[in-house]
Each structure stands twice: as C-alpha cells, then as structure tokens.
Amino acid sequence: MIRNYLKIAWRNLLRNRIFSAINIVGLAIGLASCMLISLYVLDELSYDRFNEKADQIVRVVFKGTMNGGKINESHVMPPTAGVLKADYPEVIEATRLRQAGRPKVLIGDKQYSDENMAFVDANFFKVFTLPFTKGNEKNALTEPNTIVITENTAAKYFGNQDPIGKVLNFKGSDIPYKVTGVIQDVPVNSHFRYELFGALSGLEESRSDSWMVSEFFTYLLLQKGYDYKNLEVKLPQTVEKYMGPQLKKAMGISLTEFRKSGNDIGLYLQPLTDIHLYGDAVYDLSNSGDIKYVYIFGAVAVIMLIIACINFMNLSTAGSSKRAREVGVRKVMGSEKKELVLQFLLESVLLTSISLVLAIIFGLLALPLFNDLSGKDLSLQLKALPQLIPYLLLFGLAIGLLAGSYPAFFLSSFKPISVLKGRFNFDKKSISLRSSLVVVQFFISITLMIGTTVVYQQLKYIQNKKLGYNKDQVLVLDTWSLGKNQEAFHNELLRDPNVVSVSASGFLPAGPSNNNNYMVFPDGNNTTLVKTLRYEVDYNYIPTLDMEMAYGRNFSKDFGNDSSGVIINETAANMLGWKNNALDHSISRANNQGTVSTFRVIGVVKDFHFQSLRERITPLVMTLSGGAGTMIVKLKTKDVKEVLSKMKITWDGFKPENPFEYTFLDERFNNTYKAEQKTGQILGVFAGLTILVACLGLFGLATFTAEQRTREIGVRKVLGASVSGIVMLLSKDFIKLVCIAIVVAMPVAWYGMNKWLQEFEYRIEISWWMLSVAGILSIAVALFTVSFQSVKAALMDPVKSLRSE
C-alpha cells in the first residue's frame, strides 16, 4: 500500500511540474536559510561551554557610578581573588589573568610576534578545561618564569622537537621563560584566546595589595549547584572592609561619605557563559557578541521556515481542485479518510525530502558567503553527514507532517457526490486561510525590509556624523620597532610635502587604543570625584586630528611648564562644575600612597567622539607626553599609494626589525560598527530571500487563479474586456492582501527598530519614507509577480477557453 501511495505521489509530482518545483525550491530556500542561521546561533550560544565546570565559574567585575557617569570594567584589583578565596568557603578556587599583549619571542636567531600572551595564576588550569598534551597541569606554573604554550605554537617554535624544558626569551626582557607544559589550542568559542600562558607569580604586580588599581581578570570556581547571587550580596562588605581604608587614605574621604555624595562602587559577579553574549564591560578580553542579535537571527530562521511552510500549504490547498475528482472516485471505491490523509501526507513528506537534499546543497554552496557576512568560520562537515542522516530524516519528516497536515485533512474532506457532479467550489474558509497566509508572508518580508533600511540609515548617519575630529586621510603607524630612531623617522615624514602633520600618541579616538583612567577632583575639593579617561598626547595631536579648542590653548613648546598642565573636554569641564570657564582652575589626583598631584587647566577642547556612538561622550583629560610607539600622520593628497611607497623606503632605511605596517583611522572607525554592518547585511540578504519565497508562492497562486478563471476571462474578452482590464481584475485581490500586510507591518517594524535604536546615544529618527519605500517596493514586486501570469491569461485566445462550453 505504501509503495502504491509513493508511486501515485511521484506521478502527481511529475504531472504538476510547476507547482512541484515552486514548492520544492521555496521549501529548500527556507530550510537552507534556517540551517545556516541555526549554525550561527548555536555557535554564539556555545561560547565557553567547552569548560567542564562552566556552570560553576563566574567572573568578578567592577561597577559603579561617579558624578552621574557609569563605571563597568571587566577587570578588578590584584588582591580580589585571594581575599574572596580566603573569606568565603563557597569559593573552591580563585584565579587571575593579566594581559601581556603580543611580545616578541626570541628563539635562537628567530623572532616571533604573532602570539597573544597572558600571565595566569598556577591554578588557572584547574578552573578552565584546557587539556595538557605534555607536562603536568598541577605544577606547570607553580614556579616563576615558567610558561605553557599551545600545540600550534609549540609546532611553530620547535617543530617536531619536545618543547618541555626549552627556553623562550622576550625582547626587552632579560628573564628567560622555561616551557613546562603544552596544551591543546584554546577553542575558538572561548571569550579569551591566548597561545602563551606565563606564570603570574613572577610579576611584582601580582603581589600588590592595592585596591585602587584594576588590571586583573578574576574568576571564581564555586561549589556545584551554588547560586552565585548568594555570594554577590556579600561582596559590599568586602569592598567596605578592604577598599574603604585605602580610599580614605588616598582621597581623604570614607566610602560612606563617597556614597552619600551620590557615588557608588562595588564588585559584582558574571556567569562565565554570559560573558560573550551579555558582556557590556569595557576593556574586555575579546569583542563580545550580543544576545539581541542571536534573538533576531533566530527569529529570522524560524520566519524563513514558516514562510516556506506557508507556501506549501497555500499551493497545496489552492491546487486541490485538480485532485477533487480523484478524492471523489477514491471515496466511492471505498477509501477511508485516514487512507487519503496518509496518501497526501506521504506526498508532502516526499516533497520535503527532496527539498531537504536540495537545502543541504544550497547550504554548502552558500556557507562561504554566509561566513563572510557573519564574520564566522562555520562549517557543514560532509564527514559528519552519516551521523546526521537520522536527525535530518526526522527533521524532514517533522516538516513534511507540519506543512502537509492541513492540506491532507483539507483534501480528504471533499464530498464525493458534489465533486463528481462537477459542482466543486472553494468554500470561504479555504480562501480566507490562503489570503491570511499571503498577508503573513508579506508582513514578515516588509518588516525585514524596513529593519534593513533603518540599520543602513543608522550606519550612514554614523559615517556622516561630525565626530569632533577628522578621520579621513589619516594614517596610523606602529613605530615601536624603530626604538631610538622614532624621532628621526618623525622628522623624515615631515619632509614630504604631502604630509600635513605628524603626532606621536598611542591614544586614538577610533578602534583599539591605549587607555588610562583618572580619578580626579577639582580645586582640591576631594568630596567631588570625577572618573575620566586620560589621553597622553604630544604638541601636534590636536592639530593633526583637526580638533577644535573651545577656549584656552593647546600644549606649546613656548611654555616651559606645560608638563604640569592639562587640556580637558567640555564634558569634563561641565562635570567638574566649570561650565563657563575652566582656565582658572586645577584638577588633582591621588595615588596609592596618598600623595596628591595637581595639574592646572590650560585649555578646553570641544567634545569629540572617542568612543562608540552607542555611548555618550564622557569626561576626558589630556596630558603632555614625550613619546609613544604609535604615530598619527595627516596627509593632503589623494595619491596615497605614492606616499606610502616613500614612507616604506624611509622606514626600511632605518632597518627596523618589523616590516612597515599601517592602518587608516577611518577603517579603524568603521570596524567599531562591524556588528551593525553584519546585521544590516544579513537582514538584507534574508529580507531578499523572504521576498523571493513569498513571490514564489504568489506566482503559484496567480497561476492557479488564472487557470480557475480561464472561462470567465474568455467570456469577458468576447464581451469586449481589454487586456489591461483583465490584468487589473486578476491582480487587484493580491495587491489588496499586500496592502493589508503593509498596514500591519509598519507599526510593528517601527516599534522594533525604535527599540534597537535606543542602544545608540546618537541615532536617527525613523522617517515616514523608510516605511513607505518598503511598502512601495513590496507592491511593485508583488504586482510584477502576479502580472506575469495575468498578462498571459489575458492574451489567451478566448476560442480555446470556451471550446468545451
């Protein structure tokens, strides 16, 4: 019986090639889209879950408010780990990590500088699951000046030799590090990625008892099943006990007085598995994801699948008149309803199975493009397909039953007497359902189109917004390897007439940058604390970036005492209480020993965006610094290639160890918004795919409608109806449905995108035209899709359609 059902299903598929092709391709696109987005979502959700004790690990973070400004830092004070381990028995292990950048590794006469390095406590590998392939995790880092490296790094440095006992030297340091262990490469879905792990015990800073500096990423391993929130509520007493006395000594005020003035600081806990998607702290170890985008893309995956299933149900019920007599004959011959349901469900599963195979092919072909869009390195491994086949079959069966259930019950419910007499007509319920499904399809498509438009307009706004500095035609050069020749290289650059200005500073307003924090108080008033960012700059920094002074002056060699002066931004002046004039004032800061340094304000620079436009401009202090390992070069020519060629020749003339490398400041700025760019691109692609799938369904429905009304069209043409009149007759019902979808989609899309824009302190307003464009475009696409079949039907010879009457 099943064999007979499958044979009939296959014959029916071949008999209705157009309908079958539309169903198969539409469902395949939906399944492939769902598959690709699911890979992305699963990858985002998998971060740090490779750790065997992931559900027991939390990170300690530092949060607070100061003069209305928020503090949210991912690293904390040196003694935090030891204190929490000693004071709270629920803490099984407490371990720390301190970044070391990309040091230059010297092995014999070879130099390597591509690996990330961190210093960690000896118990780091007890907390994190980073399996050792050589060495012993229990004592690998118990001694100072020891180091653990990854397998790839070991192969790169030592080839097939055993790395244990080998020595690594670092440029600029006289301390050799002995390799005591080799671990598997850190998984890509980890919130930190390092190739070198040095012993933290060798650093003097690791033994500091200061609660006034924060450079250590601190992790706690808690008892299994313990709720970290129970520990978090105890942390204020830790801050009071240990940080309070040092704050009193450094600032002259108690923690209680500090809080009474409207400020607050404290330690909080963050689950390890939340760091990637929920992390919003500054100075984090990697670029975080965003749970909102996981929700958005997950919704898009479900939406694509729903649209594909809607198409299947729409076309199956719409084409039911062709199967009506078949159903009538079967019922007269004794077929029961359940047998007919099984027949149609098997047809549905057959179509779904073909679509699933096609979807896998589409997915494999589109994966490289999707990886480019998402910035991921996802893979559909063919070798894993044999293990996946049972799951794919179950998935195909589930989708087939889901999409085919309504058509199966709908087709099997026909009354044999009516259909065999030729009096079969669609009831209002079936027509209403198909109309509703068309509205749902275009509602989703229009919503995605509006979302894509808003995202691109926000990115355009970001690109064109006045930032308070000029990012165009600005080069950023890494000049550390020049050593003492940096000043000579600086002077050689200025000899080029295409170079406007050169500044030596590693503090950049876009992209990765040096960062220093200042806790300052105005005019000796230590009860008013303001947390600021500190930029170390030279005399040419402000003019090189075309910044403007609000009032006062820039640093100048004409004034011999500018080393004790500072330039602040307008926001800092306002928060310090000097809205009108800051030039007669000074700022002070205290160090850990309780001594106070005072600087006089010599100028106020106009506010500029040195952080993402997601964040409001915060207080900034600029101090004069003598040198840096980064140069900022302002050009005045469009022939950048020629200038770079000359720079490289000059660079090579000094024979530095590193090759000539550069970045553009505007590129660094654009990279800050990669997440939004990827979101816009992905939404754009899938908005296009939803429109395509919806139009496939609309094309199928238009084809069916034209076939159903063939005799009506013939009569109308005989009575003098024009081609345009018939096209309008056949198109208007579909256009009405699209218009309903527009009316419903616009307020929903406006609300959703307005919520998304709230993430940006500086943002666009959603204009009426952004909504209108999506509506007009959807009507145009729908009209084009329907009119193809409408024109074909209107041009048909009426003699052929009326011959059988």
Side-chain angles (χ1 to χ4, degrees):
M1 184 67 72
I2 298 296
R3 181 181 177 185
N4 184 52
Y5 285 164
L6 288 173
K7 187 183 293 185
I8 294 172
W10 181 253
R11 288 174 178 172
N12 184 64
L13 185 151
L14 296 177
R15 189 181 305 115
N16 300 284
R17 289 182 176 84
I18 295 178
F19 269 46
S20 299
I22 290 174
N23 257 344
I24 290 171
V25 173
L27 193 56
I29 292 173
L31 289 171
S33 301
C34 185
M35 189 185 306
L36 291 176
I37 298 176
S38 296
L39 285 175
Y40 172 89
V41 170
L42 291 173
D43 181 73
E44 287 289 287
L45 293 175
S46 71
Y47 267 73
D48 294 304
R49 296 184 186 276
F50 64 88
N51 291 286
E52 294 175 0
K53 302 172 183 176
D55 59 338
Q56 298 174 245
I57 303 172
V58 295
R59 183 171 70 175
V60 187
V61 295
F62 182 60
K63 295 183 181 181
T65 55
M66 195 170 294
N67 274 19
K70 291 185 178 180
I71 303 170
N72 189 4
E73 298 177 355
S74 52
H75 46 59
V76 294
M77 304 76 188
T80 305
V83 163
L84 296 182
K85 175 70 166 63
D87 289 0
Y88 301 105
E90 53 266 52
V91 178
I92 300 174
E93 294 286 352
T95 193
R96 299 172 299 172
L97 178 150
R98 187 173 186 270
Q99 297 186 87
R102 294 179 179 270
K104 294 178 174 60
V105 180
L106 305 176
I107 302 175
D109 59 349
K110 293 184 179 179
Q111 178 174 299
Y112 304 88
S113 59
D114 293 334
E115 285 72 47
N116 265 326
M117 180 175 176
F119 290 100
V120 297
D121 282 320
N123 63 347
F124 188 78
F125 301 106
K126 291 182 181 178
V127 177
F128 293 97
T129 306
L130 298 170
F132 275 68
T133 56
K134 293 182 179 180
N136 189 333
E137 69 175 57
K138 294 181 180 179
N139 56 22
L141 295 179
T142 53
E143 296 181 8
N145 310 327
T146 53
I147 195 167
V148 172
I149 62 179
T150 62
E151 286 182 315
N152 274 345
T153 305
K156 179 179 177 181
Y157 289 173
F158 305 110
N160 295 324
Q161 299 179 42
D162 185 356
I164 301 298
K166 294 288 195 297
V167 173
L168 303 183
N169 291 292
F170 295 95
K171 188 170 183 179
S173 172
D174 298 329
I175 302 174
Y177 280 77
K178 183 173 70 173
V179 178
T180 54
V182 178
I183 60 172
Q184 294 178 10
D185 294 335
V186 179
V188 294
N189 58 343
S190 171
H191 79 281
F192 61 76
R193 295 290 305 280
Y194 295 100
E195 290 82 23
L196 306 171
F197 295 87
L200 187 58
S201 58
L203 299 184
E204 184 179 348
E205 302 96 305
S206 70
R207 298 181 289 276
S208 170
D209 63 353
S210 173
W211 287 81
M212 303 302 291
V213 294
S214 56
E215 298 177 343
F216 293 82
F217 296 86
T218 300
Y219 303 86
L220 308 178
L221 178 64
L222 305 179
Q223 295 174 355
K224 191 168 184 61
Y226 181 80
D227 187 350
Y228 75 93
K229 293 180 180 178
N230 294 331
L231 174 59
E232 191 173 59
V233 298
K234 302 176 185 178
L235 296 184
Q237 65 192 42
T238 299
V239 174
E240 185 75 42
K241 180 179 178 181
Y242 295 98
M243 189 182 296
Q246 292 192 14
L247 182 68
K248 176 73 173 177
K249 182 179 179 181
M251 301 295 183
I253 60 172
S254 67
L255 194 56
T256 302
E257 293 171 326
F258 178 74
R259 286 171 173 158
K260 282 182 178 178
S261 61
N263 303 312
D264 194 17
I265 50 177
L267 299 175
Y268 296 84
L269 302 179
Q270 181 181 38
L272 177 68
T273 52
D274 284 358
I275 291 175
H276 178 67
L277 290 177
Y278 296 90
D280 57 352
V282 296
Y283 319 128
D284 217 331
L285 295 173
S286 63
N287 293 326
S288 296
D290 194 325
I291 190 63
K292 288 187 291 296
Y293 295 129
V294 172
Y295 289 145
I296 290 171
F297 295 142
V300 170
V302 174
I303 285 167
M304 290 297 297
L305 197 56
I306 289 173
I307 286 181
C309 291
I310 286 174
N311 261 1
F312 188 94
M313 289 188 286
N314 243 353
L315 295 178
S316 297
T317 54
S320 57
S321 63
K322 294 184 178 181
R323 310 291 300 276
R325 287 186 174 82
E326 175 190 339
V327 172
V329 171
R330 283 175 174 273
K331 284 193 171 185
V332 169
M333 298 296 292
S335 293
E336 296 182 6
K337 183 173 182 178
K338 63 181 181 180
E339 294 173 339
L340 293 171
V341 169
L342 180 60
Q343 165 70 49
F344 293 124
L345 283 178
L346 277 175
E347 290 184 14
S348 172
V349 172
L350 176 63
L351 283 176
T352 306
S353 300
I354 298 172
S355 296
L356 189 59
V357 174
L358 196 59
I360 293 172
I361 297 172
F362 285 171
L364 290 170
L365 294 175
L367 190 57
L369 175 62
F370 185 75
N371 280 333
D372 287 340
L373 288 175
S374 64
K376 295 280 187 181
D377 189 20
L378 307 172
S379 62
L380 275 171
Q381 297 182 356
L382 291 175
K383 62 182 181 182
L385 281 180
Q387 291 81 18
L388 292 176
I389 285 176
Y391 298 101
L392 291 173
L393 290 176
L394 285 174
F395 181 70
L397 180 63
I399 295 300
L401 294 176
L402 174 67
S405 57
Y406 178 79
F409 285 102
F410 176 77
L411 293 170
S412 63
S413 65
F414 294 158
K415 295 179 180 179
I417 296 176
S418 297
V419 296
L420 291 177
K421 287 183 177 180
R423 294 203 300 261
F424 172 75
N425 288 303
F426 285 108
D427 58 24
K428 293 182 179 180
K429 289 183 178 180
S430 63
I431 296 173
S432 298
L433 176 65
R434 288 199 305 278
S435 299
S436 300
L437 294 178
V438 170
V439 170
V440 170
Q441 283 183 311
F442 275 90
F443 160 76
I444 293 169
S445 302
I446 294 163
T447 301
L448 287 177
M449 289 168 64
I450 293 172
T452 303
T453 303
V454 173
V455 170
Y456 275 105
Q457 288 302 312
Q458 174 66 14
L459 290 173
K460 183 179 178 182
Y461 168 80
I462 289 170
Q463 290 291 331
N464 297 326
K465 189 179 188 312
K466 291 183 178 179
L467 301 171
Y469 66 92
N470 189 351
K471 65 182 186 298
D472 300 323
Q473 298 283 90
V474 177
L475 286 174
V476 179
L477 310 176
D478 184 359
T479 58
W480 280 109
S481 59
L482 287 173
K484 295 180 180 179
N485 292 322
Q486 287 189 71
E487 186 175 354
F489 180 70
H490 179 284
N491 294 332
E492 286 297 321
L493 291 179
L494 289 174
R495 295 178 187 275
D496 190 329
N498 290 315
V499 174
V500 178
S501 180
V502 180
S503 172
S505 176
F507 294 80
L508 302 168
S513 169
N514 293 345
N515 283 290
N516 280 319
N517 288 317
Y518 250 14
M519 298 276 282
V520 303
F521 47 90
D523 297 325
N525 179 11
N526 58 8
T527 61
T528 303
L529 282 174
V530 174
K531 185 172 176 122
T532 71
L533 198 66
R534 176 169 64 92
Y535 270 24
E536 296 177 5
V537 303
D538 65 359
Y539 298 103
N540 299 319
Y541 186 85
I542 289 177
T544 299
L545 291 174
D546 290 336
M547 295 176 180
E548 295 183 30
M549 297 297 296
Y551 52 89
R553 62 177 177 82
N554 185 21
F555 294 114
S556 173
K557 294 180 181 179
D558 296 335
F559 298 85
N561 58 350
D562 271 2
S563 58
S564 62
V566 293
I567 297 173
I568 62 177
N569 66 350
E570 292 174 302
T571 298
N574 292 338
M575 292 190 70
L576 288 164
W578 308 325
K579 187 173 183 179
N580 297 322
N581 190 359
L583 298 183
D584 297 329
H585 299 278
S586 64
I587 61 172
S588 302
R589 68 180 295 265
N591 56 29
N592 299 338
Q593 289 71 40
T595 58
V596 176
S597 302
T598 301
F599 304 86
R600 57 191 177 81
V601 179
I602 65 171
V604 176
V605 66
K606 286 188 176 180
D607 279 342
F608 63 94
H609 291 275
F610 51 86
Q611 295 171 311
S612 163
L613 291 181
R614 301 182 196 92
E615 303 171 40
R616 187 166 294 280
I617 295 174
T618 57
L620 175 71
V621 172
M622 292 182 174
T623 60
L624 185 62
S625 177
T630 303
M631 287 188 186
I632 307 168
V633 184
K634 177 69 176 178
L635 306 177
K636 65 175 179 181
T637 177
K638 292 184 178 180
D639 191 3
V640 177
K641 188 175 181 181
E642 181 183 352
V643 176
L644 290 174
S645 178
K646 291 180 181 178
M647 284 184 183
K648 186 178 184 304
I649 294 172
T650 304
W651 176 275
D652 293 340
F654 289 103
K655 299 181 179 179
E657 296 173 349
N658 288 355
F660 177 69
E661 294 180 343
Y662 63 89
T663 57
F664 288 96
L665 192 62
D666 56 353
E667 289 178 351
R668 297 166 72 95
F669 175 83
N670 292 336
N671 287 338
T672 306
Y673 304 96
K674 269 189 174 179
E676 285 73 25
Q677 292 168 2
K678 291 172 187 173
T679 300
Q681 291 169 344
I682 292 174
L683 281 179
V685 168
F686 286 104
L689 288 175
T690 56
I691 285 286
L692 173 62
V693 175
C695 287
L696 283 174
L698 203 60
F699 179 81
L701 287 177
T703 302
F704 165 74
T705 302
E707 289 178 358
Q708 287 292 104
R709 303 178 72 174
T710 299
R711 290 181 179 85
E712 177 191 344
I713 294 169
V715 171
R716 286 178 178 272
K717 290 194 72 174
V718 168
L719 294 176
S722 64
V723 171
S724 60
I726 293 173
V727 170
M728 183 58 66
L729 174 72
L730 295 176
S731 302
K732 67 179 181 180
D733 290 337
F734 293 111
I735 299 306
K736 284 179 183 178
L737 298 178
V738 176
C739 289
I740 293 171
I742 292 171
V743 172
V744 177
M746 282 186 175
V748 173
W750 179 90
Y751 176 79
M753 295 315 299
N754 195 54
K755 292 285 287 183
W756 178 77
L757 287 171
Q758 298 306 311
E759 296 180 18
F760 294 85
E761 284 288 342
Y762 306 91
R763 54 185 177 266
I764 61 170
E765 294 291 334
I766 300 178
S767 301
W768 63 270
W769 69 266
M770 298 179 192
L771 308 178
S772 302
V773 166
I776 293 170
L777 184 60
S778 60
I779 290 175
V781 171
L783 190 60
F784 175 80
T785 304
V786 174
S787 63
F788 180 82
Q789 278 299 323
S790 301
V791 171
K792 181 180 177 182
L795 293 175
M796 186 180 295
D797 187 352
V799 175
K800 293 181 179 179
S801 60
L802 296 175
R803 184 177 295 166
S804 60
E805 291 296 317

